[in-house]
Amino acid sequence: MRTLIAGGTVVNATGAQVADVLVEDERVVALAAPGSGPAAAFAEGAERVDAAGRLVVPGAVDVHTHMEMPFGGTRSADTFETGTRAAAWGGTTTVVDFAIQRKGEALRQGLDAWHAKAEGNCSIDYGFHMIVSDVNDQSCKEMDVLVGEGVSSFKLFMAYPGVFYSTDGDILRAMQQARASGATVMMHAENGIAIDVLVSQALSRGETDPRFHGLTRPDLLEAEATRRAIALAKVAGAPVYIVHLSTTGALQAVAEARSEGQNAFAETCPQYLFLSAADLAREGFEGAKYVCSPPLRAPEHQAHLWRGLRTDDLSVVSTDHCPFCFKEQKELGLGDFSKIPNGIPGVEHRVDLTYQGVVAGELGLPRWVEVNATTPARMFGLYPKKGVLAPGSDADIVIYNPAASQTISAATHHMDVDYSAYEGKAITGRVETVFSRGRVVIDGGRYVGQKGHGRFLPRKTNDYLK
Ligand code: URP
Ligand code: ZN
Ligand code: ZN
């Protein structure tokens, strides 16, 4: 099966050029000057897709999703079927989700459970990180085994005492093991012990509204935990990747470590670039829609996060997609903000939202591709199969109309959740066509993919280790 994607502006992290993309079966075989000899020869017998006036970019790689995640007394609303379909609608062709080891369980148990949820249900390719919530001799041994199976990154939590929380000692041990196994530690960096004190003090004062979720998780406690995580990683000699970074202080900690040559990396998410504490303080219980951790911050942080994306102190934009319906799920926290399940839906809108950064002059086109696709692929061992349009790479391709306009709404999105955090937001740009390994999944406003097409991706280790 051959497809010629003709005449679009092909954008990779290295630059943009008008080119034809030649696809055979599941792979890109060449980029050629439009109408050149090789392109013309290839065109015979090939399906031709006209991409003139469009951007042709590598399928985006979202390295932070939570499908069907048991959390806060419920489970995140998207299954692997609905979540990966929504991802495809938004131009994401790979997700890396978090399998969970519960306390008292083996890593293997958690990983097997996540394989069972995903297998046969995904429209796009997928991989797993592993959440380690019980660090002991056995789980350290298993970390090494899992790296051999292509699960080469492990998330630990300085937040959520009693659930996922690890002590500094546990974290150090896991980091030492990560160093020995060649793995990357991903860190949820918030001081959960101090936060729990602030939460119970707030509740005892009768402060129960959603906005107190933000007020009891001050940005200083993210900055402090980020510095501590980086220090622990330095002692262990392990790479550390700070997930869902939301504040200027935490960014500063990452930037300092990077300038000293430490293998310290960080991501941010669209909610921290576009939403703020004012959303958390919306009228009535509306703010519950915006409860996530770390919480949405004062708008002053946003300019610093955009700067971090330009300087590469923030290397990746992921979504932390963790959707809970407003009805019945977010409502679990009526009268007690600490019972609102934490998380925001977003897997469908990362490419479009970050494109607004291109429109506003915050990011250039190649950097847009780099933070959404190339760097996440390299950071998590998927490159050059994913994250680039080059001979031999998977034909995960998005044809993007940079001039289209759309309005985000729960009425039109494809995530299985009853609200949008970006309801009514007007957007420039739109995903038109999406290929996953050479197969069309989204065709100009129609889903034509198939659940079960998506395959598990065993991942190599981090490409950026110095
Ligand atoms: O609020 C969030 N971020 N929910 C998902 C779990 C996590 O900590 O990433
Ligand atoms: Zn987290
Ligand atoms: Zn998360």
Side-chain angles (χ1 to χ4, degrees):
M1 203 180 77
R2 291 163 143 209
T3 307
L4 179 83
I5 302 173
T9 299
V10 176
V11 188
N12 275 309
T14 46
Q17 66 190 121
V18 176
D20 290 349
V21 182
L22 284 46
V23 173
E24 191 154 352
D25 299 324
E26 297 197 341
R27 308 246 185 284
V28 173
V29 290
L31 266 52
S36 61
F42 187 87
E44 280 182 39
E47 171 110 6
R48 188 176 189 283
V49 178
D50 184 11
R54 306 290 189 262
L55 306 175
V56 181
V57 298
V61 178
D62 190 345
V63 292
H64 192 150
T65 67
H66 301 281
M67 311 298 179
E68 302 181 54
M69 180 202 193
F71 196 42
T74 182
R75 86 181 32 226
S76 57
D78 268 314
T79 60
F80 279 89
E81 180 180 351
T82 63
T84 59
R85 196 166 58 210
W89 273 102
T92 288
T93 51
T94 302
V95 294
V96 186
D97 201 86
F98 288 85
I100 298 179
Q101 175 213 26
R102 292 170 193 276
K103 286 202 192 296
E105 278 184 6
L107 298 188
R108 167 70 53 207
Q109 244 174 303
L111 183 59
D112 285 353
W114 256 256
H115 272 298
K117 292 189 215 204
E119 203 181 336
N121 288 318
C122 296
S123 298
I124 54 170
D125 290 348
Y126 62 95
F128 296 125
H129 314 284
M130 188 85 223
I131 288 176
V132 183
S133 31
D134 205 347
V135 180
N136 54 45
D137 289 346
Q138 174 65 18
S139 48
C140 285
K141 276 195 202 125
E142 284 190 284
M143 283 172 69
D144 198 52
V145 176
L146 260 53
V147 172
E149 294 179 17
V151 177
S152 54
S153 39
F154 298 88
K155 182 176 178 190
L156 284 108
F157 288 77
M158 301 167 114
Y160 307 133
V163 188
F164 298 130
Y165 174 82
S166 289
T167 65
D168 288 356
D170 292 338
I171 290 168
L172 184 66
R173 277 187 77 186
M175 286 176 162
Q176 288 168 332
Q177 182 60 52
R179 187 211 163 117
S181 304
T184 296
V185 168
M186 307 171 79
M187 188 59 73
H188 183 131
E190 285 186 292
N191 185 329
I193 299 288
I195 286 167
D196 271 9
V197 171
L198 296 177
V199 168
S200 65
Q201 288 171 344
L203 290 174
S204 67
R205 288 193 295 266
E207 296 168 350
T208 59
D209 290 348
R211 71 193 172 93
F212 292 104
H213 172 76
L215 294 174
T216 53
R217 303 181 91 93
D219 55 355
L220 265 181
L221 293 183
E222 182 184 344
E224 178 277 321
T226 302
R227 279 195 190 277
R228 189 156 35 98
I230 289 170
L232 291 167
K234 190 169 183 179
V235 169
V240 65
Y241 175 97
I242 307 296
V243 292
H244 45 46
L245 187 148
S246 71
T247 82
T248 312
L251 176 60
Q252 183 63 29
V254 173
E256 282 171 25
R258 289 175 64 73
S259 71
E260 285 165 17
Q262 192 175 339
N263 284 318
F265 311 96
E267 65 175 21
T268 192
C269 311
Q271 52 269 36
Y272 303 117
L273 295 166
F274 291 98
L275 303 174
S276 77
D279 293 298
L280 205 44
R282 284 186 190 210
E283 197 78 352
F285 194 60
E286 276 292 291
K289 295 177 176 174
Y290 300 90
V291 166
C292 61
S293 294
L296 300 178
R297 303 295 186 186
E300 296 81 75
H301 293 273
Q302 292 172 358
H304 294 277
L305 299 181
W306 284 111
R307 174 176 47 80
L309 286 171
R310 285 191 295 278
T311 60
D312 202 36
D313 291 319
L314 291 169
S315 308
V316 170
V317 178
S318 70
T319 60
D320 194 7
H321 175 70
C322 193
F324 296 101
C325 287
F326 185 65
K327 286 267 154 234
E328 291 177 17
Q329 292 194 298
K330 291 287 187 181
E331 282 177 352
L332 290 168
L334 270 167
D336 178 351
F337 69 85
S338 72
K339 296 202 165 51
I340 300 169
N342 285 203
I344 287 189
V347 77
E348 191 168 344
H349 297 304
R350 177 179 57 128
V351 171
D352 283 333
L353 285 166
T354 51
Y355 188 71
Q356 306 322 295
V358 176
V359 173
E362 299 280 6
L363 302 178
L365 278 176
R367 185 64 181 155
W368 173 59
V369 167
E370 192 165 33
V371 299
N372 280 312
T374 315
T375 300
R378 292 188 63 185
M379 189 76 68
F380 294 102
L382 292 168
Y383 186 88
K385 185 176 171 64
K386 307 293 188 189
V388 62
L389 294 183
S393 63
D394 279 0
D396 287 6
I397 302 172
V398 175
I399 302 180
Y400 197 77
N401 182 345
S405 45
Q406 56 170 316
T407 302
I408 298 180
S409 172
T412 48
H413 75 200
H414 303 87
M415 300 175 287
D416 193 14
V417 60
D418 63 0
Y419 77 95
S420 171
Y422 304 95
E423 187 67 42
K425 186 173 176 62
I427 295 272
T428 300
R430 176 176 217 122
V431 169
E432 280 186 348
T433 309
V434 177
F435 295 83
S436 166
R437 277 185 281 104
R439 224 190 123 138
V440 181
V441 183
I442 302 296
D443 187 9
R446 267 183 328 136
Y447 170 77
V448 292
Q450 202 177 25
K451 82 171 193 168
H453 165 80
R455 289 188 198 135
F456 172 67
L457 295 164
R459 294 179 294 112
K460 297 172 287 179
T461 54
N462 188 331
D463 229 10
Y464 290 104
L465 299 188
K466 300 183 193 81

